[in-house]
Amino acid sequence: MMKQLRGFLATCESENLLKEEQNLIDVSTEPIGGLGIEFGYPGDARKAKDRSKMKLWKKYFQENGRNLTMVRLPTFGKLVRVGLPNALRGELWEVCSGSIYLRMTNQGVYEEILKTYEGHTSLSTEEIEKDLNRSLPEYAAYQTPEGIDRLRRVLTAYAWRNPELGYCQAMNIVTSALLIYMSEEQAFWTLNVLVDRMCPGYYSTSMYGALLDQIIFEQLVEKTMPILWNHLKKTDIQLSVACLPWFLSLYINSMPLLFAFRVLDCLFMEGPRILFQIGLAILKLNGDELLKAKDDGAFLGILKHFFTSLDIPIHPNSKNERGKVLTYREFAIVTDDLVTDLRRKNQLKVVAGIESYTKRSAIRHVKETAGFEKEEISTIYDKFFGALYYAKQNNEKTTDLNSMDIDTFRLLLNSLTTWSKIKAHDESANEGYMRSLGLQFTQRLYDYMKPEDHPGVMFQDVVIGLSEIMHGDLMSQIDFFFKLYDQDKDEKLVNADILYMAKELYWVLCQMKQDEFIAWDAICNLIIRSFEQSDILRGVQSNEESNAEQLAKLISYGRHDGIQSIQKRMEQLENYLIYDDTDNQNNTNNDNDDDDNEKQDDVKEDKDKKLQRPFIEICLPSFRMAVLTNECLEMFFDNGFSSSFRLVKLASEQQKSLGREVFENLFNEGKKLATSTMTPPMHHHRNRRSSSSASSIGLSPIPSPSTSTSNISSPNQASTSTSTSSPKQEGQQEQSSPSIMSSPSSNNNKEEKDMSQQVDYLLSELGHQDE
């Protein structure tokens, strides 16, 4: 254990920093970090007072622990807000996010994943390759093979570790930013925490998490800046056009890198609420200009100009009054509890929107509507993807979200018909045999609809297949069943085909509540009339008297008042159609007990012999003639089978949206991940309700008041885009806000005060305010 710990500490820059005073372990003196060591860090280290920051952090490590053992006091938040030094930024991101504990407990996992999947490819790896050269191209490292290779390895390792999610766009932007300050392994585990815990749903196929937070952000803008919000609605400016990319890229693609990394500093320390607070501050700072915008282009232009001018310092003598008057306290209403509550309230709205868009897109791309109306296609869509969703819920194995296997197809049939509901295993022999016939028939329908070059049935396949069933007349229905049982596709039906059809038709007719004796008569007629039509095709004179006797004999098998089992009756049909049962009966009637074994062998041989009577071989016209001689079959093919399919959305389906089920599943997965082993140990976790917070856009950090407020203020109480709180109001806010968390003892209080003064001095040197 100590050896493992020693190796891990060797990867922590904080150990190098304290080596002179605490030479307890043998650590490397080489710098530890990411691409910035070789390719440089954004910004000017001298202007950023990097050396002064390192001294303050060194003192903090000496007094309060480092890396795995660090205790977070109020000074920790002030040190983060003043800006992290380049050499320590990667490690402190790990500590704040908790990924350092993941890396500690999973040493070697990253390298093992890369080794295991070396040379393997997938859809995710193909998408990664497309985006590699579009990842922070302004940073020099990503114009070289070394930087691209590091990024490729981290993204590929995550895609293999989480194959259900794989890779999604914007992951490359976030990961490329992490790798500037972190090693590959550090970035890998930090990406896991970001995607799975801090920003659940942001980097998924539907981006439901980012869309959800965008709705929340718009609601916050409406409450805190009603004048600006009303202007946006009046001019039909879409706030999401500008602000959704902020959330997806965590502001990395929007701001100069120097300031984007300040946002990440606060994000890892405070959590996702910082994304909302910074966004509100940006809109507040540009409120006057944004009120003059008349369209999306002007709105985007104002914000773009703002981001390009972020390097203008804000200090007491600055003419930039907007930055001076804006305080973090104006957006202290955005707390973790509030964000969680709003996510819960808006989750259905988001999923309904995603579901509606996906549905419209899928329906729009259907190549062949096959005669269905728009509403009917919509109903088929709901039932198709509803079956896919519920199949996934009940099946742990990963399934294709766009195609059906046989079990899912049966769920779809259950929602479309009443006869397809197959009873579970039953002790009754008859029920068990009938169940096997039902499984055979539904399998046959599935195979008919499934393209040969695809492993499952697609939405388009179902549309075409249902149209063939539901829109056909008498003759086309007969044609459909002919093709359904023409197994070798030679446009002829033979004995085995007619046998399978007879058995399965009997099951379907019984499932459709047809009298079982009438159903039995119908399939017996089909068999005999098929023999007759075969004789006609061969030019052989059919013996009507013999056929009538055979028909009566077959019908008699089903007239024993239920004494004879269904399976036994079907076996007799099989013997008549496939095997020569004459010799079997002779052998069975022989009473010579000494020859029992020999007779059983003879029976087996007889069953293996093909029938000597004329062989059934009929084409489509002859099959039609065979069907139309029976009233029951004619009614079944005319409208009975087609009308058994109904495109009606049940009341239960209307009341319980599929979108709700999808979101509940995704949201529960997110909550599960958030409470999993990724969460750092409790004694290292900060108290969110009492810790300090970042101010706005990385320019003028201001400590946060208590985040216990959970309700959004009313429009009358909220700040507007053209006015700020009065001094009196600000004073009231300060009085109502609880003080910063106190330190454990009086000695610590004194030390905290001394360090706090040093940090305040550094803030003033950098041109920041921390009031």
Side-chain angles (χ1 to χ4, degrees), residues 469-626:
I469 294 171
M470 300 179 67
H471 295 159
D473 57 12
L474 172 60
M475 291 303 171
S476 59
Q477 288 294 311
I478 296 175
D479 296 353
F480 173 76
F481 270 78
F482 183 90
K483 291 182 289 185
L484 192 63
Y485 287 89
D486 182 13
Q487 300 178 77
D488 52 6
K489 309 302 179 186
D490 63 350
E491 299 184 357
K492 294 178 182 178
L493 296 182
V494 295
N495 293 57
D497 300 329
I498 295 297
L499 174 65
Y500 292 134
M501 184 186 295
K503 288 181 176 181
E504 293 164 19
L505 272 178
Y506 179 76
W507 174 80
V508 175
L509 289 169
C510 290
Q511 289 288 102
M512 293 173 64
K513 308 304 180 184
Q514 180 63 267
D515 181 84
E516 62 178 272
F517 293 121
I518 295 177
W520 183 260
D521 290 351
I523 65 171
C524 292
N525 266 280
L526 176 64
I527 293 171
I528 297 302
R529 302 314 168 198
S530 297
F531 274 115
E532 288 181 352
Q533 292 300 317
S534 294
D535 289 341
I536 294 172
L537 286 176
R538 284 192 293 268
V540 177
Q541 183 65 37
S542 181
N543 190 331
E544 295 184 4
E545 184 178 349
S546 175
N547 289 338
E549 291 177 0
Q550 293 295 337
L551 177 60
K553 180 179 178 182
L554 294 181
I555 292 176
S556 67
Y557 295 151
R559 298 293 187 182
H560 297 298
D561 298 325
I563 296 176
Q564 197 171 36
S565 69
I566 297 174
Q567 183 174 359
K568 184 64 176 176
R569 282 182 263 165
M570 292 298 179
E571 287 176 354
Q572 290 170 327
L573 288 185
E574 184 175 350
N575 288 335
Y576 178 76
L577 271 170
I578 305 298
Y579 305 110
D580 186 354
D581 61 350
T582 305
D583 292 336
N584 295 348
Q585 293 174 1
N586 293 336
N587 288 328
T588 303
N589 294 331
N590 193 323
D591 295 327
N592 190 344
D593 295 335
D594 295 335
D595 297 328
D596 276 350
N597 293 335
E598 183 178 349
K599 284 182 286 186
Q600 289 176 4
D601 293 338
D602 291 340
V603 170
K604 185 176 181 182
E605 289 179 8
D606 290 333
K607 277 188 172 288
D608 291 334
K609 293 178 181 179
K610 292 297 181 183
L611 190 64
Q612 300 299 317
R613 65 173 62 88
F615 190 71
I616 293 179
E617 188 177 83
I618 55 176
C619 57
L620 178 57
S622 300
F623 176 65
R624 289 173 181 167
M625 294 298 295

Side-chain angles (χ1 to χ4, degrees), residues 701-712:
I702 306 297
S704 162
S706 172
T707 60
S708 59
T709 305
S710 60
N711 294 320
I712 303 180

